Amino acid sequence: MPELTAGRFARRCGVRFAKLTTWQLTGGAAVVGLALAVGSVAAAGPWDSGQRTAERDRAAALEDGGGTDHGSPASRKDGNGKDTRARKTPAAAPSAPSVLAALAAPTGTGSAPVPDESALAKALDPLLNSGSLGAQRTAAVVDAATGKQLYGKGAGEALTPASTTKIATAVAALTAAGPDHRITTRAVVEPGSDKVGKVVLVGGGDPTLTARKDAEGNASLRTLADDTARALKVRGVEKISLGYDTSLYSGPLLHPIGPNWNIAPVSALMADEGRLDDSASGPAPRSGDPAADAAGTFAELLRDRGLKTETSDPSSAKATDRAEQLASVQSPTLSVLVERMLTNSDNDIAEALARQTALATDEPASFDGGAKAISTQLKKLKLPLSGAQFADGSGLNRAGRLSASLLTALLARAADPDHAELRPVLTGLPVAGFTGTLRNRYADDADAPGTGLVRAKTGTLTGVNTLAGTVVDTDGRLLAFAFLTTGTTDPKTAQSTLDRAASALAACGCN
């Protein structure tokens, strides 16, 4: 496939990109996290499916091994032990160092001009006034370097945010618990249990704990079983009773939406998010009791390692303060969990992060406690919370309310060089046309100019469509935007209109 230059790309798109600068291409590419040549990044236009697939494969091949949270393909060995696995598109966010390098000039030196407010309005108003966006719509665009609002449409009015709530959850968790925080799952044994070891599997709230053979960097229930069995054998224990402790969390397990393929019952102990299939993200059938299932799997793993169990089904049991730790495993860092949550709009991780925020701020680890903790933490950061209501960490609860002003303020704070702990909020945002919930969007000619240049968190509920993220305009200025709509009747058309609005920012040299 011949390399597409910026000029050839512009002609193919039918869009005038006279101001498509090196900063937008290299900055956009690094913010996107794809280590491509300028010409390749410029080729992010309206491709046929074969070309789009080829570019994705190339991006994945170049990026593989250099990202923060790309995971790894399932290993497949031939008869000689050679790895024959095919490369896959990065599963989550790109490398933070690339983003930092790309953002240095646009946000730090002020060398790129700030868009003219009237020119922005001229570009955005026709799109945001579209009837496809329902009865209510609000919007804000801010200069990420200064936080100054450049465009507003009811920006201070709080509407249902859907999954853009996860941006607030991410900021609260990273500032309350810290980006390097890890969640621990433990196996303990009660004292005085030499003949029959009274073992308790203690959940710490890790939503990424896995029982799969390839842990892909996650905490492994198999590793925990290995270490637990070894520790018990050193003690001379060959038979155990097994219980599981989920007391870290309180309140109801079920999200207010009830049983749903988008989220498992929220427990301090679960394996593979309670998924009953081989999926790692997206909707899936879920266990009705993920803690019991995880403990049952752990019991099987211990039996496979030569231990006998009194019963086949573990029971709920709270570990005492006198219990001695046998083994433990830890989750990836909170920064990695934030990236995964945002890229894949992972509701299970979102609710876990809300509870980690609650635990870090001495609130109950429940739906209500997590919501209160998020609000309190953002208030400490002096963010514009007027009208904001938090009902959960994921945005599945329609009772939540956020404003476009708050969402753009969160994004601008994450871009602030003085708040490097928040950088995963930017690196975790899906990339238009490449990753996560934006992977299959930005395919039409009208919204394709944003492909590879828009990073944004999507939000979708029945009658609600939202989009909030960042974009580098053609002059190299980093902008944060938020669009919220309610009363939409055609979600696909509404999504396309919001995508076009973000693309208008990418194509804008609005001066």
Side-chain angles (χ1 to χ4, degrees):
M1 182 180 70
E3 183 182 74
L4 289 176
T5 65
R8 189 179 302 165
F9 163 63
R11 290 193 294 275
R12 175 176 288 188
C13 290
V15 177
R16 183 175 181 270
F17 274 94
K19 291 187 177 181
L20 195 61
T21 64
T22 299
W23 263 117
Q24 188 183 29
L25 294 172
T26 58
V31 171
V32 168
L34 305 176
L36 300 177
V38 168
S40 297
V41 176
W47 308 321
D48 61 78
S49 59
Q51 188 171 353
R52 177 180 287 273
T53 300
E55 286 294 332
R56 281 177 175 159
D57 290 345
R58 172 170 165 75
L62 290 174
E63 178 66 5
D64 187 65
T68 300
D69 179 33
H70 294 159
S72 60
S75 179
R76 293 193 295 272
K77 307 284 187 179
D78 63 17
N80 297 317
K82 182 179 179 181
D83 194 347
T84 62
R85 65 191 181 184
R87 290 193 182 275
K88 298 195 299 184
T89 300
S95 304
S98 301
V99 178
L100 287 166
L103 298 185
T107 63
T109 68
S111 59
V114 179
D116 178 74
E117 295 178 29
S118 61
L120 271 181
K122 185 177 180 180
L124 291 176
D125 279 346
L127 292 164
L128 296 179
N129 289 334
S130 169
S132 67
L133 297 184
Q136 291 179 291
R137 74 289 306 273
T138 65
V141 178
V142 305
D143 175 27
T146 64
K148 179 184 177 182
Q149 181 174 297
L150 305 175
Y151 177 88
K153 180 184 288 291
E157 181 182 355
L159 298 182
T160 303
S163 278
T164 55
T165 297
K166 293 181 175 74
I167 295 173
T169 301
V171 170
L174 287 168
T175 54
D180 295 327
H181 175 68
R182 296 176 186 265
I183 305 170
T184 303
T185 304
R186 300 180 296 134
V188 302
V189 63
E190 296 292 352
S193 53
D194 293 333
K195 293 183 179 179
V196 178
K198 296 179 181 178
V199 176
V200 181
L201 178 61
V202 183
D206 180 5
T208 62
L209 179 70
T210 181
R212 293 169 180 168
K213 290 183 178 180
D214 186 353
E216 296 189 330
N218 299 312
S220 170
L221 203 60
R222 293 171 182 267
T223 298
L224 187 63
D226 287 338
D227 295 344
T228 299
R230 189 178 302 113
L232 287 169
K233 289 175 181 177
V234 168
R235 290 169 173 259
V237 176
E238 296 181 354
K239 187 175 183 180
I240 65 167
S241 65
L242 180 63
Y244 60 92
D245 186 346
T246 61
S247 62
L248 186 66
Y249 285 3
S250 60
L253 293 176
L254 278 179
H255 189 280
I257 63 172
N260 193 285
W261 279 28
N262 288 295
I263 188 170
V266 182
S267 171
L269 176 64
M270 64 170 64
D272 300 301
E273 297 185 339
R275 295 173 180 271
L276 300 179
D277 58 16
D278 293 330
S279 66
S281 63
R286 305 301 184 103
S287 166
D289 192 345
D293 286 353
T297 299
F298 189 61
E300 291 178 10
L301 292 170
L302 290 177
R303 285 193 289 271
D304 290 343
R305 286 151 179 78
L307 290 167
K308 298 178 182 179
T309 58
E310 282 193 328
T311 62
S312 58
D313 296 321
S315 57
S316 177
K318 190 176 187 307
T320 69
D321 292 339
R322 297 168 57 213
E324 299 176 28
Q325 181 167 300
L326 294 168
S328 68
V329 289
Q330 290 190 313
S331 72
T333 61
L334 209 67
S335 60
V336 171
L337 300 187
V338 161
E339 288 185 327
R340 292 188 194 179
M341 172 188 69
L342 293 172
T343 300
N344 296 318
S345 200
D346 193 302
N347 298 306
D348 301 280
I349 295 179
E351 296 303 340
L353 293 182
R355 281 157 178 75
Q356 292 299 313
T357 305
L359 292 168
T361 55
D362 296 322
E363 294 288 348
S366 63
F367 285 108
D368 290 343
K372 182 179 179 181
I374 292 169
S375 180
T376 300
Q377 192 65 20
L378 298 187
K379 186 176 181 179
K380 290 179 183 177
L381 299 177
K382 298 181 180 180
L383 291 161
L385 291 174
S386 178
Q389 298 179 34
F390 292 94
D392 61 10
S394 61
L396 287 173
N397 193 328
R398 303 178 72 92
R401 296 288 185 274
L402 297 182
S403 68
S405 290
L406 174 57
L407 287 168
T408 50
L410 288 162
L411 292 163
R413 184 66 61 89
D416 186 341
D418 292 334
H419 291 278
E421 76 279 2
L422 296 180
R423 201 50 52 105
V425 176
L426 299 186
T427 60
L429 294 173
V431 180
F434 280 91
T435 61
T437 55
L438 287 184
R439 175 178 169 82
N440 295 317
R441 286 168 61 165
Y442 289 79
D444 297 335
D445 288 0
D447 45 75
T451 302
L453 296 175
V454 171
R455 298 189 66 99
K457 181 69 200 74
T458 58
T460 307
L461 295 170
T462 302
V464 174
N465 294 95
T466 60
L467 190 70
T470 64
V471 64
V472 181
D473 72 9
T474 59
D475 289 318
R477 198 77 184 187
L478 182 70
L479 307 176
F481 66 88
F483 308 137
L484 295 91
T485 71
T486 61
T488 58
T489 57
D490 183 344
K492 185 175 181 179
T493 301
Q495 287 174 1
S496 181
T497 302
L498 296 182
D499 291 346
R500 292 176 187 184
S503 287
L505 293 174
C508 187
C510 298
N511 291 288

